[in-house]
Amino acid sequence: MRQFWVSIVILAGMIFLLGINSRHLTETTESLTDHLVQASEAANQGDWSKAEKLSQTVRDGWRTQMPYLRLVQSHASINEIAILLDEAMARLNSQDLGEYTATNARILRNLEALCDLERLSVENLF
């Protein structure tokens, strides 16, 4: 009977840690997503300097989170987002609105997919 309770405690601890990780990832990506949407809007309005500042904030925020994310996520998806952020900065330098907004849309989709994989649900638990 004691082994049963030990395994229940371990399972509850793992679910608790998954919840904490999911919430942290959601909060992080929501902040980055908000800045990225604002950057796209600024570029649409022709304010390239504001778009660059916001995009740089997103890229710096992502790089700050990368060591943690490497512990809990697939390296391929983390690196893909980092590459897309670098690509978005290059699109800003050329002031190519279509390519910049397309790159931002891909970043947003990848961030959403990352959160969906970590969302605490029955499918993700089992």
Side-chain angles (χ1 to χ4, degrees):
M1 189 66 161
R2 181 178 170 178
Q3 292 172 343
F4 173 74
W5 288 111
V6 168
S7 51
I8 293 294
V9 168
I10 290 172
L11 182 62
M14 289 175 61
I15 291 172
F16 177 74
L17 290 175
L18 284 171
I20 290 173
N21 179 54
S22 176
R23 186 170 51 158
H24 174 73
L25 187 61
T26 300
E27 289 172 357
T28 299
T29 56
E30 282 177 353
S31 171
L32 297 176
T33 298
D34 290 343
H35 283 93
L36 206 55
V37 168
Q38 291 173 9
S40 291
E41 290 171 357
N44 282 330
Q45 295 171 357
D47 191 352
W48 291 101
S49 61
K50 182 177 179 182
E52 184 176 0
K53 181 180 175 186
L54 289 166
S55 293
Q56 186 65 42
T57 301
V58 171
R59 189 167 74 167
D60 292 345
W62 184 253
R63 286 185 176 166
T64 301
Q65 293 298 320
M66 281 180 73
Y68 169 75
L69 292 171
R70 289 191 188 280
L71 294 174
V72 297
Q73 288 293 318
S74 162
H75 289 257
S77 50
I78 294 167
N79 291 338
E80 183 178 354
I81 293 172
I83 290 167
L84 286 171
L85 287 167
D86 290 339
E87 186 179 319
M89 293 302 293
R91 303 290 185 208
L92 271 171
N93 291 336
S94 66
Q95 295 187 356
D96 186 348
L97 181 61
E99 290 293 327
Y100 176 68
T101 54
T103 303
N104 280 356
R106 289 191 322 193
I107 295 168
L108 291 171
R109 278 194 307 272
N110 285 348
L111 289 173
E112 184 180 336
L114 199 63
C115 282
D116 286 344
L117 288 174
E118 290 298 315
R119 197 158 282 126
L120 199 55
S121 66
V122 174
E123 294 106 16
N124 287 344
L125 286 176
F126 301 104

